[in-house]
C-alpha cells in the first residue's frame, strides 16, 4: 500500500504522513516515509510519500495507490516525484479549487471529500486530520490504530488537541464513494471500514536514517561530536546533542567545518571516540583535516549525508555523487575507510561498524548516507547489537630501558596509541612525515615505511562478511551502493519472478575494496553497476580496480529523483533485447 | 597521576628534538620561557598538551616534552577545543605564529576568544611568514616592501591582535617579548593560571626576514599594573598603545566554557525512545 500526501505550507501534509506511518506500524505493518519540500525555508509546499506492508520496506514503489492533495498549491513541483496510474485513488477537497491540468487524465479517479467543511464543524478541528481519517479508511488501516497514532503524535499538545484530532479522523474515516475502485490491488468496499480495537503495537522502531546514524555512532562508542549544521545532515547532530550528554559525552558547535574536523581530531587524540556529520560542501572543507587524521593516525568518523551537488547544488534532495570526493578527495597517498549505509536500519549497523573499525585501525572512516535515507523514516525491527570487540589498542608503559614509539612498526601492523596523561608514553602527533618515534622526518626511508604501514593496516585486515550484502543468485548481477539498494532489490525480485534469476550486491565497505571477494561474487554473471549519479562514480572506481567482468554495464543517472524498480528493470530488459538484435 | 619524582626543572620539559630554527630566532626564547613557566608551576609533564599549527613557531610542539599535536596550518585552536572538551583535566597550551593564528586561523581565533575554554594561547608574533621565506603577515606594517609577493608593501592596515581579542570576548590578554625572558615567564605563569582563554602575544623577532626587529629590545616598555578588568578601560589602553607595551593588558573573570557531563543514561534508555509503544509524555 502506498500513498502520497501533498499540500502547501501550513497544510500539515508531513504531520498527516507521520501519523499514517505510525498508524500503519501500530496495525502491524512495516513502513517507509520519505518527504520532499520546496525551497522555502519555512512554510513552503511539502509532500510525504509512504509505503507500508508486511515486509521491511526500503524503497518507494513505481507509483502511488493513493494521492491525498490537501490543496493544489504548487502541486506540479511534486509531479515528477509522485507517479500516478489509472488505478490511483485521488482524495481532494472541493473547497481547495479545481485540480490542476496535469491531473486531467486522472479526473475520474478523484474522490472529493469536504476536508475543510468537516473540520470546521468541530472547534479546533484541522482538515489534515480529516484527511488522515480518509486516507486510513482508503488504505484499510484500522481506526483504532489511527486514533492511537494520533494520541502518540499529538499528546504533547494537550488533551483537547488530541480530542479534536480524534473527532476529525472519525469524520474522515469513510470508505471512498468510488466503490469498487482498486487501491493498490485492494478492493475498496462500501462496507464499514475496520473499526476494531488495535492490539498492542508490535515491538518495532520508528526511526529516521539520520537518527539511526547518530545511534550507530553511539553504539560504536562515540562520546564526542563536533557539529556545524548543514542540510540534510543536521538532524544527526540535533538528535545527538541532548543524548550524547546523557551518556557522559559532549557535543561542541563548531564555527565551521574546518573547526569541526579538527575538533574531533583533538578529542580523539584525547582518547575519546569522535565523529561529526556533514554534507558535500562541509566534506569539501574537511579534506585537509582528514589528511591530518590519516597522517597522524588519529581515528575519526565523518558521516556525509549526500545531497545534489556540486557546490550548493540541491540541498534538500538526494544524490549519490560524493563517492569520488570520499575516495579521492585527500591529497597525498592517504588510505582510509569509505563505507556506505544501504538503508535506514543499516545506518545503525554501518556507523557502529565504521566507528569500531576507525578506532581499531587508527583510521579515518567516511560514511556515506544520503538525503533519501537521512530524512526518511522507517518502521523497522530493532536492529541487532553485534559485538565487534574491535576498538582502540592502547599503549602500555614500555619496559625499563625502552622508549615508547608512537609510530612503531609492529608485526600486526598497528602502532599502539597512548592517551595524554599516561605517564611515560608521551608523543607529539604530527601531520609532518615522521619516523617511528614521531619526530618529523623527510627521509625517504621513513616516508616509505610509514606510508606502507598506513596502507597495509587497511588492506591487511579481514572485514568478515559485512563488506557487502549479497542477496540471491543468478546470471544477472546488480551491484549497487547506498540508498539505491532498496530499489535494486525490488527490481531483482521482479526480474527473478519473471524468470531472470538476479543477484544483488550492496557494497557496505567501499574502501578498502574487497577485490577478491567481490570478483568471486561477480564471477560468471552479467553485471550492472547501479547508482544515482551522472558519471557512474562507483562503476569507474571498480573498473580502475579491475574487478568488473567484461561486458559490465552501468546504470547511472543523477538525482534528485530516486531510482525506481521499474526504471531499473526497463533499462536492463531493453538493453538485453537490444543485445539480441 | 601527578608524577611524584617531580624534578621540576625547566629542561625536563624540553624534548630531545633539535629545533630547525635559525640561530638567534626569537622562538628559542619562547620555548625556554614556556619550560620555565611549566617548571615554576610544577605541572606534571604528561598532563600538559601543546597544540600547534604550521610555521616556524608552530614547530614548538615537538620541542616540548610531554604530549603534543602538531596539526595543520591555522587550526590549532579548533583541535585544542575538541581536546579540552573531551579531557577537561589536561593543561592546554596552544602555540603558533601570527600567520597561523591571525590569517588562515583568524576565524578560530575569534571563536576561541568568545568560547573562553581554559587554555593558554601563545602567539609568537614576528610580523612575517617565516617558514615560507618572508611574506607579509596580517601584523606586518603596510609599507614593508621586502617581500617579493608585495614589493610595494601590502598597503593594508595591520591586524590588531589585542584589540580584536578584547572585542571577541577574550578574558586575558597580555603581550610579552622573547628578548625579555624573565618578564615573559611571569606573563606565561599568569596566563596559565588564568581560568579561561588567555592570549599572550609574544613579540618574537625573525632574525632572518625581519633583522630590523633587533630594535625591539630598546623600544619595548612596560604597561602599568594592575591590568584593567574593565573592557572599555582596556580598550583605551590597547588602542592608545604603540604595540610594544609589555604586560597584562586585560584580565577579567568570565564564565569558562566547559562541557562536563555525567553518565545519566544507558544506551538502552535512548534506544527505547524508538519503540512504537512509547507515547511521549
Ligand atoms: C593550508 C596551507 N597553506 C599554506 C601553507 C604554507 N605555510 C606554511 S607556514 C606558513 C606561514 C607561517 O607563518 P607564521 O604562522 O607567522 O609562522 P612563522 O613561520 O612566522 O613562525 C604558510 C603560509 C600551509 N602549510 N598550509
Ligand atoms: S625564518 Fe625567522 S621565524 Fe623562522 S626560524 Fe628563522 S628566524 Fe625564526
Ligand atoms: Mg610569523
Amino acid at each position: 500500500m502506498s500513498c502520497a500526501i501533498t499540500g502547501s505550507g501550513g497544510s500539515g501534509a508531513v504531520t498527516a504522513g507521520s501519523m499514517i506511518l505510525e498508524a500503519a506500524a501500530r496495525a502491524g505493518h512495516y513502513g517507509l516515509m520519505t518527504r520532499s519540500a520546496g525551497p522555502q525555508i519555512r512554510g513552503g509546499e511539502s509532500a510525504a510519500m509512504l509505503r507500508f506492508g508486511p515486509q521491511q520496506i526500503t524503497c518507494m514503489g513505481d507509483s502511488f495507490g493513493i494521492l491525498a492533495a490537501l490543496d493544489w498549491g504548487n502541486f506540479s513541483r511534486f509531479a515528477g516525484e509522485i507517479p500516478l496510474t489509472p488505478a490511483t485513488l485521488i482524495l481532494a477537497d472541493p473547497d481547495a479549487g479545481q485540480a490542476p491540468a496535469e491531473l486531467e487524465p486522472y479526473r475520474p479517479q478523484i474522490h472529493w471529500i469536504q476536508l475543510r467543511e468537516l473540520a470546521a464543524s468541530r472547534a479546533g478541528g484541522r482538515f489534515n486530520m480529516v484527511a488522515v481519517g480518509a486516507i486510513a479508511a482508503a488504505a484499510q488501516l484500522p481506526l483504532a490504530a489511527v486514533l492511537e497514532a494520533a494520541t502518540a503524535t499529538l499528546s504533547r499538545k494537550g488533551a483537547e488537541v488530541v480530542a479534536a484530532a480524534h473527532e476529525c479522523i472519525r469524520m474522515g474515516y469513510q470508505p471512498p464513494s468510488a466503490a469498487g475502485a482498486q487501491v493498490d490491488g485492494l478492493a475498496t468496499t462500501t462496507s464499514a471500514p475496520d473499526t476494531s480495537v488495535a492490539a498492542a503495537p508490535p515491538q518495532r522502531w520508528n526511526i529516521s536514517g539520520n537518527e539511526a546514524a547518530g545511534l550507530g555512532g553511539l553504539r560504536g562508542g562515540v562520546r564526542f561530536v563536533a557539529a556545524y549544521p548543514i542540510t540534510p545532515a543536521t538532524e544527526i547532530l540535533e538528535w545527538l546533542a541532548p543524548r550524547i550528554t546523557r551518556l557522559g559525552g559532549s557535543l561542541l558547535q563548531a564555527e565551521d567545518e574546518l573547526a569541526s574536523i579538527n575538533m574531533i581530531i583533538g578529542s580523539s587524540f584525547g582518547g575519546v571516540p569522535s565523529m561529526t556529520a556533514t554534507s558535500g560542501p562541509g566534506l569539501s572543507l574537511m579534506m585537509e583535516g582528514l589528511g591530518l587524521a590519516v597522517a597522524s593516525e588519529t581515528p575519526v568518523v565523518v558521516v556525509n549525508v549526500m545531497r545534489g551537488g556540486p557546490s550548493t547544488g540541491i540541498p534538500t534532495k538526494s544524490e549519490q555523487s560524493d563517492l569520488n570526493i570520499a575516495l579521492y578527495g585527500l591529497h597525498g597517498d592517504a588510505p582510509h575507510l569509505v563505507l556506505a549505509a544501504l538503508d535506514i536500519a543499516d545506518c545503525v549497523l554501518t556507523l557502529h561498524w565504521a566507528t569500531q573499525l576507525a578506532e581499531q585501525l587508527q583510521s579515518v572512516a567516511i560514511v556515506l548516507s544520503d538525503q533519501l535515507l537521512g530524512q526518511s523514516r522507517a518502521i523497522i525491527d530493532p536492529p541487532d547489537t553485534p559485538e565487534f570487540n574491535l576498538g582502540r589498542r592502547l599503549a602500555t608503559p614500555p619496559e625499563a630501558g625502552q622508549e615508547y614509539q608512537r609510530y612503531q612498526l609492529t608485526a600486526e601492523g598497528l602502532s599502539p596509541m597512548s592517551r595524554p596523561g599516561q605517564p611515560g608514553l608521551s608523543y607529539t602527533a604530527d601531520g609532518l612525515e615522521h619516523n617511528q618515534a614521531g619526530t618529523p622526518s623527510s627521509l625517504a626511508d621513513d616516508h616509505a615505511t610509514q606510508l606502507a604501514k598506513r596502507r597495509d593496516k587497511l588492506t591487511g585486515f579481514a572485514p568478515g562478511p559485512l563488506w557487502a550484502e549479497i542477496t540471491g543468485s543468478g546470471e544477472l548481477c546488480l551491484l549497487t551502493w547506498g540508498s539505491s539498494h532498496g530499489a535494486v532489490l525490488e527490481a531483482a525480485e521482479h526480474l527473478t519472478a519473471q524468470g531472470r534469476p538476479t543477484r544483488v550486491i550492496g557494497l557496505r565497505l567501499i574502501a578498502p575494496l574487497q577485490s577478491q571477494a567481490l570478483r568471486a561474487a561477480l564471477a560468471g554473471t552479467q553485471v550492472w553497476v547501479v547508482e544515482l549519479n551522472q558519471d557512474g562514480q562507483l562503476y569507474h572506481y571498480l573498473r580502475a580496480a579491475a574487478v568488473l567482468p567484461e561486458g559490465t554495464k552501468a546504470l547511472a543517472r543523477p538525482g534528485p529523483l530516486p531510482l525506481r524498480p521499474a526504471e531499473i528493470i526497463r533499462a536492463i530488459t531493453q538493453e538485453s533485447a537490444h543485445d539480441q538484435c | 597521576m601527578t608524577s611524584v619524582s617531580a624534578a621540576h626543572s625547566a629542561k625536563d620539559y624540553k624534548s630531545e628534538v633539535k629545533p630547525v630554527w635559525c640561530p638567534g630566532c626569537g622562538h628559542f626564547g619562547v620555548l625556554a620561557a614556556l619550560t620555565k613557566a611549566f617548571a615554576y608551576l610544577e605541572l606534571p609533564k604528561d598532563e600538559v598538551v601543546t597544540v600547534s599549527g604550521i610555521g616556524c613557531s608552530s614547530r614548538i610542539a615537538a620541542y616540548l616534552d610531554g604530549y603534543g599535536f602538531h596539526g595543520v596550518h591555522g587550526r590549532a585552536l579548533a583541535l585544542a577545543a575538541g581536546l579540552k572538551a573531551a579531557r577537561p583535566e589536561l593543561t592546554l597550551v596552544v602555540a603558533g605564529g601570527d600567520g597561523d593564528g591571525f590569517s588562515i586561523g583568524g576565524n578560530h581565533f575569534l571563536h576561541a576568544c568568545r568560547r573562553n575554554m581554559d587554555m593558554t594561547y601563545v602567539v609568537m608574533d614576528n610580523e612575517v611568514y617565516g617558514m615560507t621565506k618572508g611574506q607579509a603577515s596580517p601584523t606586518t606594517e603596510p609599507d614593508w616592501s621586502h617581500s617579493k609577493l608585495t614589493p610595494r608593501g601590502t598597503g593594508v592596515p595591520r591586524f590588531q591582535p589585542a584589540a580584536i581579542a578584547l572585542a571577541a570576548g577574550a578574558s586575558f590578554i597580555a603581550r610579552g617579548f622573547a628578548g625579555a625572558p624573565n618578564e615573559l615567564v611571569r606573563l606565561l605563569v599568569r596566563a596559565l593560571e588564568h581560568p579561561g582563554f588567555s592570549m599572550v602575544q609574544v613579540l618574537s623577532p625573525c632574525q632572518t626576514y625581519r633583522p630590523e626587529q633587533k630594535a625591539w629590545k630598546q623600544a619595548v616598555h612596560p604597561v602599568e599594573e594592575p591590568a584593567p578588568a574593565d573592557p572599555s578601560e582596556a580598550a583605551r589602553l590597547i588602542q592608545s598603545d604603540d604595540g610594544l607595551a609589555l604586560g597584562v593588558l586585560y584580565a577579567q573573570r568570565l564564565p569558562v566554557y566547559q562541557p562536563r557531563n555525567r553518565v545519566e543514561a544507558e544506551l538502552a534508555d535512548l534506544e527505547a525512545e524508538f519503540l512504537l509503544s512509547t507515547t511521549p509524555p
Side-chain angles (χ1 to χ4, degrees):
Chain A
M1 176 62 69
S2 59
C3 89
I5 308 170
T6 62
S8 54
S11 63
V14 174
T15 308
S18 307
M19 208 173 280
I20 296 286
L21 180 71
E22 184 78 17
R26 281 160 193 274
H29 295 293
Y30 292 94
L32 175 69
M33 180 177 109
T34 63
R35 48 201 282 195
S36 179
Q40 292 89 340
I41 306 303
R42 266 201 97 117
E45 62 282 358
S46 56
M49 287 152 283
L50 290 100
R51 198 178 183 203
F52 48 88
Q55 265 124 40
Q56 296 230 33
I57 291 174
T58 54
C59 71
M60 283 296 142
D62 296 308
S63 60
F64 287 89
I66 300 170
L67 163 65
L70 301 181
D71 57 50
W72 301 112
N74 279 325
F75 175 81
S76 52
R77 208 193 283 282
F78 299 120
E81 290 173 74
I82 305 176
L84 307 177
T85 71
T88 305
L89 172 73
I90 302 171
L91 298 171
D93 184 352
D95 292 339
Q98 283 295 310
E102 59 259 50
L103 284 186
E104 198 49 49
Y106 306 100
R107 189 164 300 279
Q109 297 156 236
I110 301 182
H111 170 68
W112 298 99
I113 169 165
Q114 309 271 358
L115 301 176
R116 284 165 182 77
E117 202 179 299
L118 288 168
S121 69
R122 166 63 158 95
R126 295 191 41 97
F127 63 89
N128 65 331
M129 291 299 107
V130 182
V132 166
I135 296 163
Q140 301 193 353
L141 291 172
L143 180 60
V146 189
L147 298 178
E148 261 185 36
T151 310
T153 321
L154 299 173
S155 59
R156 239 171 300 143
K157 301 190 173 172
E160 176 46 29
V161 172
V162 173
H166 278 195
E167 216 167 302
C168 288
I169 289 169
R170 282 178 202 279
M171 286 190 276
Y173 197 78
Q174 314 158 5
S177 63
Q182 296 257 313
V183 176
D184 273 6
L186 285 174
T188 61
T189 57
T190 43
S191 64
D194 181 359
T195 55
S196 59
V197 179
Q203 293 283 308
R204 289 195 186 132
W205 284 12
N206 180 339
I207 191 169
S208 75
N210 278 344
E211 291 167 351
L215 175 62
L218 294 182
R219 279 189 173 187
V222 167
R223 291 297 179 272
F224 178 80
V225 169
Y228 193 80
I230 185 167
T231 305
T234 307
E235 297 88 0
I236 297 181
L237 305 164
E238 288 177 339
W239 183 83
L240 281 165
R243 290 171 180 84
I244 195 167
T245 53
R246 295 183 63 208
L247 298 178
S250 55
L251 178 142
L252 272 193
Q253 180 165 339
E255 52 271 30
D256 54 34
E257 289 88 348
L258 303 165
S260 53
I261 184 64
N262 281 280
M263 283 175 172
I264 64 172
I265 292 171
S267 55
S268 176
F269 169 74
V272 177
S274 301
M275 85 178 213
T276 186
T278 190
S279 189
L283 186 64
S284 301
L285 288 183
M286 289 182 191
M287 284 298 146
E288 190 194 20
L290 288 168
L292 173 62
V294 168
S296 63
E297 301 196 61
T298 312
V300 291
V301 177
V302 177
V303 190
N304 183 59
V305 186
M306 294 178 286
R307 61 194 220 180
S311 190
T312 312
I314 310 180
T316 53
K317 297 193 178 176
S318 214
E319 196 164 76
Q320 296 178 285
S321 47
D322 292 350
L323 180 62
N324 280 350
I325 186 178
L327 288 168
Y328 309 118
L330 283 73
H331 68 271
D333 290 319
H336 58 280
L337 300 156
V338 178
L339 295 94
L342 296 166
D343 57 50
I344 290 177
D346 197 52
C347 288
V348 180
L349 174 68
T350 302
L351 261 299
H352 183 176
W353 191 40
T355 309
Q356 292 272 301
L357 285 177
E359 285 287 313
Q360 188 206 17
L361 301 170
Q362 300 176 21
S363 177
V364 165
I366 300 176
V367 183
L368 299 171
S369 170
D370 63 62
Q371 187 273 337
L372 208 56
L373 298 180
Q375 295 190 322
S376 300
R377 302 198 75 82
I379 306 301
I380 60 171
D381 287 323
D384 296 338
T385 319
E387 284 284 340
F388 289 116
N389 288 325
L390 300 170
R392 197 179 292 195
R393 167 132 181 247
L394 279 183
T396 47
E399 291 176 13
Q402 301 238 303
E403 287 269 326
Y404 169 62
Q405 299 207 308
R406 165 64 184 100
Y407 299 106
Q408 192 178 10
L409 303 174
T410 62
E412 50 162 0
L414 294 168
S415 316
M417 187 171 177
S418 64
R419 180 177 182 275
Q422 277 186 291
L425 294 173
S426 65
Y427 70 102
T428 297
D430 213 315
L432 276 174
E433 191 56 282
H434 39 258
N435 62 18
Q436 296 187 53
T439 308
S441 165
S442 53
L443 295 181
D445 195 36
D446 286 328
H447 188 42
T449 48
Q450 291 296 323
L451 275 177
K453 179 184 73 159
R454 297 193 292 257
R455 176 195 60 204
D456 295 344
K457 71 179 180 182
L458 289 180
T459 49
F461 88 101
L466 283 183
W467 68 275
E469 284 300 310
I470 303 180
T471 314
S473 57
E475 276 163 28
L476 187 59
C477 179
L478 308 184
L479 173 55
T480 189
W481 66 286
S483 63
S484 294
H485 189 235
V488 169
L489 275 178
E490 191 159 320
E493 245 172 67
H494 286 292
L495 287 163
T496 304
Q498 289 163 14
R500 287 198 71 183
T502 305
R503 149 170 290 196
V504 173
I505 301 176
L507 277 184
R508 190 181 282 113
L509 180 64
I510 300 181
L513 187 65
Q514 301 304 301
S515 304
Q516 237 182 327
L518 184 54
R519 267 192 213 104
L522 296 174
T525 65
Q526 165 62 55
V527 179
W528 282 79
V529 181
V530 185
E531 56 193 314
L532 193 66
N533 58 61
Q534 172 185 273
D535 292 345
Q537 298 184 6
L538 179 66
Y539 171 76
H540 287 290
Y541 170 60
L542 298 177
R543 273 199 64 165
V547 292
L548 297 175
E550 209 163 312
T552 294
K553 297 191 164 81
L555 170 49
R557 71 146 169 84
L561 296 182
L563 285 168
R564 294 193 189 271
E567 176 184 0
I568 298 168
I569 295 168
R570 207 178 313 122
I572 289 167
T573 43
Q574 275 171 6
E575 183 76 24
S576 314
H578 188 241
D579 285 350
Q580 280 153 23
C581 317
Chain B
M1 229 187 272
T2 316
S3 8
V4 199
S5 59
H8 290 115
S9 97
K11 80 177 183 318
D12 295 327
Y13 295 92
K14 218 171 260 170
S15 80
E16 273 147 33
V17 181
K18 191 174 163 290
V20 294
W21 296 325
C22 312
C25 173
H27 301 342
F28 282 107
V30 181
L31 175 62
L34 264 175
T35 59
K36 284 182 189 149
F38 293 161
Y40 177 83
L41 291 169
E42 304 190 351
L43 296 175
K45 89 177 173 197
D46 291 316
E47 291 169 31
V48 181
V49 183
T50 312
V51 179
S52 67
I54 296 293
C56 299
S57 38
S58 292
R59 290 276 183 142
I60 198 167
Y63 308 150
L64 288 162
D65 206 1
Y67 288 85
F69 208 124
H70 183 216
V72 292
H73 195 25
R75 316 291 164 216
L77 286 167
L79 197 148
L83 176 56
K84 188 69 186 177
R87 298 288 307 280
E89 75 282 12
L90 298 171
T91 300
L92 254 66
V93 174
V94 184
D98 41 316
D100 190 76
F102 304 143
S103 191
I104 192 166
N107 192 35
H108 308 304
F109 173 57
L110 296 180
H111 294 282
C113 289
R114 60 181 273 267
R115 203 176 272 126
N116 201 33
M117 294 182 94
D118 190 13
M119 56 180 74
T120 296
Y121 183 33
V122 181
V123 188
M124 299 143 85
D125 188 355
N126 51 15
E127 301 175 356
V128 76
Y129 288 175
M131 176 139 275
T132 45
K133 304 207 183 308
Q135 298 79 20
S137 91
T139 51
T140 304
E141 54 277 33
D143 58 354
W144 184 72
S145 56
H146 296 272
S147 162
K148 285 184 199 156
L149 208 52
T150 50
R152 297 177 185 179
T154 62
V156 179
R158 301 158 76 145
F159 185 97
Q160 305 290 335
I164 289 165
L166 181 70
S171 56
F172 181 100
I173 302 166
R175 188 181 296 120
F177 174 42
N182 296 337
E183 289 80 356
L184 181 56
V185 174
R186 276 198 291 276
L187 278 182
L188 290 171
V189 166
R190 283 177 69 180
L192 285 161
E193 283 178 331
H194 174 80
F197 184 78
S198 47
M199 186 197 60
V200 185
Q201 177 195 9
V202 185
L203 304 175
S204 180
C206 174
Q207 185 68 23
T208 303
Y209 298 106
R210 304 296 311 263
E212 70 278 20
Q213 288 170 344
K214 273 197 209 77
W216 277 348
K217 191 105 196 159
Q218 285 73 46
V220 293
H221 51 92
V223 288
E224 260 175 53
E225 292 274 344
D230 173 60
S232 48
E233 228 178 280
R236 210 168 305 118
L237 171 70
I238 290 167
Q239 296 288 4
S240 59
D241 137 58
D242 59 358
L244 298 170
L246 306 184
V248 178
L249 305 172
Y250 174 65
Q252 173 65 285
R253 291 277 174 130
L254 293 175
V256 174
Y257 181 75
Q258 179 62 59
R260 275 178 209 276
N261 300 306
R262 260 166 307 161
V263 179
E264 293 166 2
E266 308 248 318
L267 205 44
D269 303 325
L270 304 184
E271 298 194 351
E273 292 173 26
F274 295 117
L275 271 174
L276 290 175
S277 46
T278 319
T279 304

